[in-house]
Amino acid sequence: MDMAFAMTYNKRNSEVFGFGVPKNGSRERKRQMNDKYEQYDKKEQNISFATIGTSKITEKFLEEAQQNENFHLHAVYSRSMKKAEAFAQKYAADRHYDNLDDLAADQEVKAVYIASPNAMHYEQVMKMIEAGKHVLCEKPVASNFQEAEQMFKLADQHHTVLMEAMRSLHDPDFACIKNNIHKLGTVRRATFRFCQYSSRYDDFKAGGRQNIFDPKCSGGALMDLGVYCIEPMVALFGKPQALQATSVMLSGGIDGAGTILADYKDMIAELVYSKITDSDLPSEIQGEQAVMTIKTIANPGEIEIRYYNGQTEKPETEPCDSNLKYEIQAFVDAVNGKKDVTDFRNISLQSMNIMDRARKICGIRFPADRI
């Protein structure tokens, strides 16, 4: 999918930066969204949620979501009824299910948070949207671009909100990056890093089966951590002109680490990610006048600008323990008709396209690629 970007940093130094929008139909899409929003009561409404998945990320999500005054946990789903019942009791859900069709048929559920293995996203998202429910789906939103495109298309047809849970893009500190990047001058290089030794890797090396290291689950380092580097790159700089990629491949045909080089003609973006090593190095955006360091790209609460004349600046940020609350609020606002998340949809689609290209270069194939 080709994308035109409203503004770029290298040619226009500005404090306001646009996300990507499709070349064709973007104005019509925004007009339709505005028309839809007029149908909503602008007063914020409580939203009855269901969750799919009982992993640690679902627990973290619920810990933050239950602090939101518009959130109500109505139901939980697990393939195991025993797990579903225990999870419902732990988080005071009204109902629990082990059958997706039963969950989809629950008319009291207005929105669903999906945090299942990546390969399950497509089927589960499509089923929930067809039932008229809004969906917040964990990153990556799908196994590949084709799946993601069909999912967003169906959401349009059913007039529901589908949003990828990419927490860093909704963090006010990511806006701080965008609003200060002009101070760097012409940007020539960006290096985004996310390397975190997986707690599941030792078991995988010992012969255990782990979803995150399983191609059948559309797992691997690129899909789990690389996406945290790709989406900020797309949000800030748009679509690269060319792409190179390499991966450290593990047994079973899955990637444990990798690097992507993205060519923007007058700048280079380097993305470094790993689930089999750690790194304490920050991310950087280098310009001709200064360099911006970002301690953690997935949670950009510590930002510093070092000018080449020796001066330093620390833009005001809002550090927090978890920036999940910002993505939750963005989704709630979208469901309540107070926020247009079209820009984030475009970032999700473009990022999915980049991941497909990187996987093709590295020879990473998933069973889900058959569609």
Side-chain angles (χ1 to χ4, degrees):
M1 173 179 287
D2 289 334
M3 303 179 74
F5 278 76
M7 302 180 189
T8 59
Y9 304 136
N10 295 346
K11 295 182 180 178
R12 304 176 184 86
N13 289 333
S14 169
E15 292 193 10
V16 181
F17 302 91
F19 286 148
V21 295
K23 286 184 177 179
N24 299 317
S26 60
R27 293 181 181 177
E28 177 63 17
R29 166 70 181 161
K30 287 184 178 291
R31 184 192 66 76
Q32 291 174 356
M33 292 296 290
N34 289 335
D35 290 345
K36 183 180 77 171
Y37 290 164
E38 290 177 2
Q39 300 172 14
Y40 284 93
D41 180 355
K42 293 303 179 181
K43 181 180 178 181
E44 290 187 358
Q45 301 177 18
N46 288 334
I47 301 169
S48 292
F49 271 79
T51 60
I52 294 178
T54 56
S55 64
K56 288 183 179 179
I57 185 59
T58 309
E59 293 185 332
K60 290 180 180 179
F61 171 83
L62 286 174
E63 288 168 6
E64 290 295 332
Q66 290 182 330
Q67 305 302 312
N68 189 299
E69 62 183 1
N70 299 118
F71 178 91
H72 169 69
L73 181 61
H74 175 70
V76 301
Y77 164 86
S78 172
R79 287 172 291 178
S80 162
M81 178 58 79
K82 185 176 181 180
K83 284 186 178 181
E85 184 175 7
F87 206 72
Q89 290 179 351
K90 182 176 182 179
Y91 291 100
D94 302 327
R95 298 175 185 173
H96 56 275
Y97 296 100
D98 67 348
N99 184 290
L100 278 176
D101 291 328
D102 292 342
L103 173 60
D106 189 333
Q107 295 299 307
E108 293 188 49
V109 173
K110 302 303 179 186
V112 182
Y113 169 71
I114 296 178
S116 54
N118 300 334
M120 297 180 179
H121 289 179
Y122 177 76
E123 178 186 357
Q124 293 171 347
V125 168
M126 297 291 272
K127 187 180 289 290
M128 294 302 124
I129 290 175
E130 286 172 348
K133 304 186 190 309
H134 306 286
V135 177
L136 176 63
C137 184
E138 262 305 324
K139 57 77 196 167
V141 69
S143 294
N144 52 54
F145 177 83
Q146 268 189 301
E147 285 188 350
E149 188 176 45
Q150 291 179 23
M151 289 155 65
F152 282 112
K153 185 178 295 185
L154 188 68
D156 283 347
Q157 293 171 359
H158 287 265
H159 308 291
T160 61
V161 175
L162 169 60
M163 193 179 95
E164 182 180 31
M166 176 49 67
R167 53 191 172 89
S168 57
L169 297 189
H170 302 280
D171 193 319
D173 294 333
F174 187 74
C176 180
I177 294 172
K178 293 189 293 174
N179 292 336
N180 284 277
I181 201 170
H182 69 284
K183 298 176 181 179
L184 310 182
T186 301
V187 173
R188 294 302 189 186
R189 187 181 189 92
T191 302
F192 295 156
R193 299 183 176 92
F194 197 159
C195 300
Q196 186 176 75
Y197 191 91
S198 172
S199 60
R200 298 180 176 91
Y201 185 46
D202 289 340
D203 181 71
F204 173 78
K205 288 192 293 182
R209 182 187 176 278
Q210 295 290 340
N211 290 344
I212 202 61
F213 291 109
D214 191 345
K216 293 179 181 178
C217 294
S218 302
L222 173 64
M223 301 291 279
D224 192 48
L225 298 184
V227 64
Y228 280 112
C229 303
I230 292 170
E231 297 215 8
M233 178 188 75
V234 172
L236 292 170
F237 307 114
K239 176 185 177 181
Q241 293 188 353
L243 205 71
Q244 299 179 51
T246 186
S247 294
V248 176
M249 300 301 293
L250 306 177
S251 62
I254 201 69
D255 62 315
T259 297
I260 293 174
L261 288 178
D263 181 2
Y264 286 88
K265 188 178 178 179
D266 51 5
M267 67 159 281
I268 297 170
E270 178 188 25
L271 312 179
V272 181
Y273 50 91
S274 174
K275 291 188 69 63
I276 57 177
T277 60
D278 265 327
S279 175
D280 292 326
L281 294 174
S283 293
E284 289 186 333
I285 303 174
Q286 301 171 10
E288 292 187 352
Q289 297 178 17
V291 57
M292 177 186 291
T293 58
I294 306 152
K295 184 175 181 180
T296 309
I297 193 63
N299 192 10
E302 295 184 38
I303 301 168
E304 182 178 79
I305 299 173
R306 291 183 286 107
Y307 295 93
Y308 298 152
N309 63 7
Q311 295 182 333
T312 62
E313 176 185 355
K314 290 189 176 182
E316 185 176 352
T317 58
E318 302 178 29
C320 63
D321 293 333
S322 172
N323 52 8
L324 282 169
K325 63 182 178 181
Y326 301 121
E327 78 176 26
I328 294 168
Q329 188 60 58
F331 180 72
V332 166
D333 287 346
V335 171
N336 277 329
K338 298 179 65 179
K339 186 179 183 69
D340 183 353
V341 292
T342 304
D343 288 335
F344 298 103
R345 166 222 290 260
N346 297 331
I347 293 168
S348 296
L349 286 169
Q350 184 60 62
S351 299
M352 204 77 253
N353 180 268
I354 290 171
M355 285 190 281
D356 281 0
R357 291 163 62 191
R359 286 199 296 115
K360 184 176 181 180
I361 293 169
C362 297
I364 304 167
R365 295 270 315 162
F366 301 145
D369 294 332
R370 65 184 180 274
I371 74 161

